[in-house]
Amino acid sequence: MTTTASPVPESTPEHVPEHVSGHPPESGGPVDCGPAGGTAVARPARLIHTESTTEIPVHLLFRDAPEPAPVRLRPVVVARRADEGGRGTGERPRPRGPAGGRSEPAVPRIDPELVERPARVLPGVVGVFAGMCGAAGCAVTSWWAGVLPPPVAEALGPAARAGAAGLGPAQWAAYAGAGALGLFGFGGLARGRTGRAWVLGLFGRYRGTVRRTGLMWVNPLLLRRRVDVRLRHWRGEPMRAADRSGVALRVAVLVVWRVRDTARATLGVEDHEAYLRACVEAALVRVPVAAPGAGRGAVEAAQDALTRLVAADTAPVGVEVFAVRPVRVEYAPEVAAAMHRRRIAALDAQHRASVLGAVVDSVEDTVTRLTVRGLVELDDYERKALVKDLTVAFCAGRGEAGP
């Protein structure tokens, strides 16, 4: 809704006498007659000198109307995707990362109950004694049944024939018990070596690890897996890598490692050595390697980064990595020629810059000494000529002396 307003002051009276206002009445205007019938002062005509249009809100025209009541909005709560609980929309849950927006790399997880623990074994003397007892029991049972070998029976004489009772159920039971005792006694003997361990399992269940050395007795029903726990090193074949500029490289690395947790290294992964090789190859793809000819600081930084990354990947499977050192770094065959030319050009430019700097310093020192000592007095033209001649002479001399 729009209205037109006129800036006419409200204090100006509608009937203003001529002698008061000082303005003559305009011709053609209406004449106001007083009550006495005399001549009245004509009313001045209203003139709109300025005109403006203003928008007035509707709610200001209707003051009596009630104002609209405010509506309280409830906070919107977005429920978790139903698919995270196992059923619902079928949409895949979005990965949740840290506040920075970048998700952390996934760390392999192993069964927390799969941890190395010592197995129960007995000294080897116990197994030897049990085996000898079983052998002696078999010999006594044979004498009892009268089935001793002929040389032994002749050696014993009448005593061997006196105790002969034949092979009956009792004799067979005695044979079974004595034989089982002998088999368990001698069959459970094992020899532990320094730097080697035995991982024991029974019907697919982990039963412990044996790190003892010397003769010992282990339950023969347990499955034994030998694991090397010594400090070992592995040098792989040249693998693909890249430097900070993305140039393809071939790198051969030396890995110093050992098995820390025999249970996880044997049962947590199919082959821990193959897993270590795969982790090293993946780390070379993720970490930039110092290019051939790089400084010592860049080489050490690359070694530290590779060691930390490989150690973090292999720790969950019980493998401890001490160092991952690139021992041979070379450019890939497809870029070797181009990088060789580029390196030669860079070395040549560096050599030229060093030679030019040495020549300029020599010329400056020579001219300064000649001038300061007062040996020669040179103007600008002569100074320029002397500098030119000295520069040519020094450059020619260095060029001839060079290789």
Side-chain angles (χ1 to χ4, degrees), residues 121-323:
V121 295
L122 298 177
V125 180
V126 177
V128 173
F129 180 75
M132 293 181 64
C133 290
C138 290
V140 171
T141 304
S142 299
W143 172 80
W144 180 26
V147 291
L148 291 174
V152 177
E154 292 178 359
L156 294 177
R161 292 188 295 271
L167 289 175
Q171 287 75 14
W172 285 114
Y175 266 125
L181 181 60
L183 290 177
F184 264 78
F186 289 121
L189 293 177
R191 183 180 60 174
R193 298 180 180 180
T194 303
R196 303 292 179 89
W198 296 94
V199 178
L200 307 181
L202 179 62
F203 303 116
R205 185 178 179 182
Y206 174 63
R207 303 298 296 178
T209 300
V210 179
R211 289 181 178 261
R212 296 176 56 178
T213 59
L215 186 64
M216 53 188 169
W217 184 85
V218 183
N219 187 352
L221 297 179
L222 298 177
L223 178 64
R224 309 174 190 177
R225 297 184 183 181
R226 180 176 295 180
V227 182
D228 192 345
V229 294
R230 295 173 296 180
L231 186 65
R232 305 168 63 184
H233 70 277
W234 167 71
R235 179 171 179 173
E237 298 295 331
M239 293 179 286
R240 292 180 176 271
D243 60 0
R244 295 185 179 275
S245 302
V247 180
L249 302 174
R250 291 293 185 274
V251 182
V253 297
L254 177 67
V255 184
V256 181
W257 63 285
R258 72 177 178 183
V259 175
R260 178 177 52 84
D261 192 319
T262 57
R264 293 190 172 187
T266 306
L267 305 176
V269 67
E270 183 177 1
D271 187 354
H272 58 273
E273 296 185 7
Y275 182 79
L276 176 62
R277 297 190 188 98
C279 290
V280 172
E281 187 174 0
L284 287 175
V285 176
R286 298 170 57 184
V287 176
V289 182
R296 183 176 179 180
V299 175
E300 292 181 353
Q303 291 180 3
D304 295 342
L306 286 173
T307 302
R308 288 195 301 270
L309 189 58
V310 176
D313 291 340
T314 58
V317 297
V319 176
E320 187 176 7
V321 177
F322 296 95

Side-chain angles (χ1 to χ4, degrees), residues 79-170:
R80 179 184 298 181
R81 292 172 178 261
D83 215 25
E84 296 181 1
R87 56 182 180 178
T89 60
E91 299 180 2
R92 300 180 59 183
R94 299 179 181 177
R96 298 181 179 179
R102 299 178 58 185
S103 58
E104 298 181 356
V107 178
R109 296 181 179 179
I110 304 296
D111 185 5
E113 298 182 358
L114 186 61
V115 182
E116 178 181 336
R117 60 178 181 271
R120 297 179 180 178
V121 295
L122 298 177
V125 180
V126 177
V128 173
F129 180 75
M132 293 181 64
C133 290
C138 290
V140 171
T141 304
S142 299
W143 172 80
W144 180 26
V147 291
L148 291 174
V152 177
E154 292 178 359
L156 294 177
R161 292 188 295 271
L167 289 175

